[in-house]
Amino acid sequence: AARTARSYLVGFKYGRRIGMIIDWSRRYRNIDWEQTPGAYLFAQNTLGNLLGDAEYRRDVDLGEGIRTYVFQDEKRRPVAVMWNYNPKVERFEKPAPKAVFAFKPQEVKAVDFTMNEIPTADGSVAFDVTPYPTFLIGAPGSMGSFVRKLEQTKIHGAAQKPFRVAARVKGSQAAI
């Protein structure tokens, strides 16, 4: 289910250049014998509900092994979706890093892969960045401030912290 959602998210990002996405994971049942929906259905349901007509805006680098895409939905709300793509985290050989966001709880809504709202603890917005995509939804028209605060996220438990490098090259010299 997580892999399917992640592949669909890449499709959402490059949607203007992609004609069709084929999901080869049909070997997983959508509904079991007792008509219980399987986790695989959350890939379509959650992404359809949260990103239906959203447009990709940008990536935000939060550290090694973490992918973060920012979209803008039809209500002009910024929607960040993030997940961990470290194979050791996916195989439970390593704990998922924890993201602590600069947002106040009233500024965003955090939603997990199954569309349940993630409760805030002690007045902060924080959750583990797992292989299952997790969503942060901001206020309409707040894209600029949303991205600035998203870039201030603290990641605990990641191997490397993100940093920015700028370089100017002139002839055979470079200033970094």
Side-chain angles (χ1 to χ4, degrees):
R3 187 212 55 82
T4 297
R6 295 188 310 254
S7 67
Y8 287 165
L9 284 164
V10 172
F12 271 81
K13 176 181 178 179
Y14 296 106
R16 293 181 184 182
R17 301 184 337 207
I18 294 175
M20 176 181 7
I21 293 177
I22 298 173
D23 181 15
W24 296 103
S25 64
R26 287 288 184 194
R27 68 182 181 275
Y28 303 113
R29 287 189 211 129
N30 293 331
I31 297 177
D32 69 12
W33 289 106
E34 296 184 15
Q35 304 302 308
T36 305
Y40 172 81
L41 289 177
F42 283 109
Q44 295 90 350
N45 185 59
T46 301
L47 296 179
N49 279 298
L50 296 179
L51 295 176
D53 289 336
E55 290 186 20
Y56 168 79
R57 292 293 186 230
R58 62 177 296 171
D59 284 10
V60 174
D61 185 6
L62 295 181
E64 182 182 13
I66 298 173
R67 181 120 25 234
T68 306
Y69 295 164
V70 180
F71 295 88
Q72 182 170 299
D73 70 9
E74 68 278 356
K75 298 175 185 171
R76 295 188 51 241
R77 298 180 303 181
V79 179
V81 56
M82 61 198 65
W83 67 92
N84 192 303
Y85 60 88
N86 183 326
K88 289 185 177 189
V89 172
E90 190 149 18
R91 292 189 305 260
F92 302 104
E93 295 171 4
K94 179 181 175 184
K98 184 175 206 71
V100 180
F101 300 94
F103 298 104
K104 293 182 177 107
Q106 62 272 22
E107 294 176 311
V108 293
K109 182 167 85 169
V111 179
D112 71 12
F113 183 67
T114 60
M115 296 222 12
N116 290 308
E117 193 165 339
I118 298 170
T120 57
D122 302 327
S124 66
V125 179
F127 54 77
D128 291 341
V129 183
T130 70
Y132 289 89
T134 307
F135 304 82
L136 283 174
I137 304 166
S142 67
M143 181 64 75
S145 63
F146 180 88
V147 169
R148 282 190 295 281
K149 285 192 176 184
L150 187 60
E151 290 174 333
Q152 297 171 18
T153 300
K154 305 275 191 260
I155 303 293
H156 301 284
Q160 295 177 1
K161 303 294 183 203
F163 63 93
R164 297 187 195 281
V165 175
R168 268 191 332 265
V169 179
K170 186 174 183 180
S172 63
Q173 294 183 338
I176 298 176

